[in-house]
Amino acid sequence: MKALEDKILKSGTVIDNKILTLIGDMRDTLAKANGLGLAAPQVGINRRLCIVLDDDETPMALINPEIIASSGEQEFTEGCLSLPKVWGKTKRPAEVTVKALNENGEEITITRTGTTAVCLCHEIDHLNGILFRAHVTEYIEYEDDDD
């Protein structure tokens, strides 16, 4: 996983076999990492694409996602596949509405709350060159289950 900040991403909207293969590979990577979301820059791909586990834990692909509305606030404990063993309390919107293309090239608008809202914010932040630590209000000591 790559820890990237301040990187401008390409916004291509052509959904071809290359992008579909990338989506499949990212889903596999996310499953193997036991994560909740993954952004293309984390795997070294300069595209505005992310995978987020939806409320039913189905991995949804979002191409060129943009948060178009948010409301409320929730405190959440976040970690990141790009920053292993780093955990922190963050404040994120309680509800977000995101506009994006799905893997079929269709424009979709989704509204999510709770954990999925946090994941959407987290992954879209990656696409904008922001890591979750920018939102941390308090770091939490990592406890390794293998110790």
Side-chain angles (χ1 to χ4, degrees):
M1 302 293 160
K2 293 190 174 194
L4 301 175
E5 291 181 294
D6 302 324
K7 185 164 184 146
I8 298 171
L9 302 177
K10 298 175 187 172
S11 294
T13 56
V14 175
I15 300 168
D16 54 17
N17 286 336
K18 186 176 178 180
I19 294 295
L20 294 174
T21 298
L22 173 61
I23 290 169
D25 290 347
M26 287 178 63
R27 282 186 172 132
D28 291 344
T29 300
L30 181 61
K32 288 177 186 167
N34 197 29
L36 299 176
L38 184 66
Q42 290 178 276
V43 293
I45 304 297
N46 195 21
R47 293 283 177 210
R48 293 190 61 81
L49 166 65
C50 63
I51 307 291
V52 173
L53 291 188
D54 206 349
D55 293 338
D56 64 359
E57 298 192 11
T58 301
M60 65 175 156
L62 300 169
I63 301 163
N64 297 330
E66 175 187 358
I67 296 172
I68 58 172
S70 64
S71 64
E73 184 177 80
Q74 63 179 319
E75 188 175 277
F76 202 84
T77 300
E78 287 187 54
C80 183
L81 297 175
S82 293
L83 300 169
K85 301 181 182 182
V86 177
W87 294 88
K89 291 182 181 179
T90 61
K91 290 187 178 178
R92 297 282 195 171
E95 178 179 278
V96 295
T97 300
V98 173
K99 181 175 74 172
L101 296 179
N102 66 18
E103 62 196 278
N104 299 318
E106 302 160 334
E107 187 173 296
I108 60 170
T109 302
I110 58 171
T111 300
R112 297 294 186 270
T113 59
T115 300
T116 306
V118 171
C119 291
L120 287 164
C121 292
H122 182 114
E123 298 311 324
I124 293 170
D125 272 356
H126 272 298
L127 302 180
N128 294 326
I130 301 167
L131 295 179
F132 88 99
R133 63 183 176 204
H135 299 281
V136 170
T137 58
E138 177 186 344
Y139 284 97
I140 299 170
E141 188 173 332
Y142 175 78
E143 293 182 24
D144 193 346
D145 292 337
D146 296 332
D147 287 347

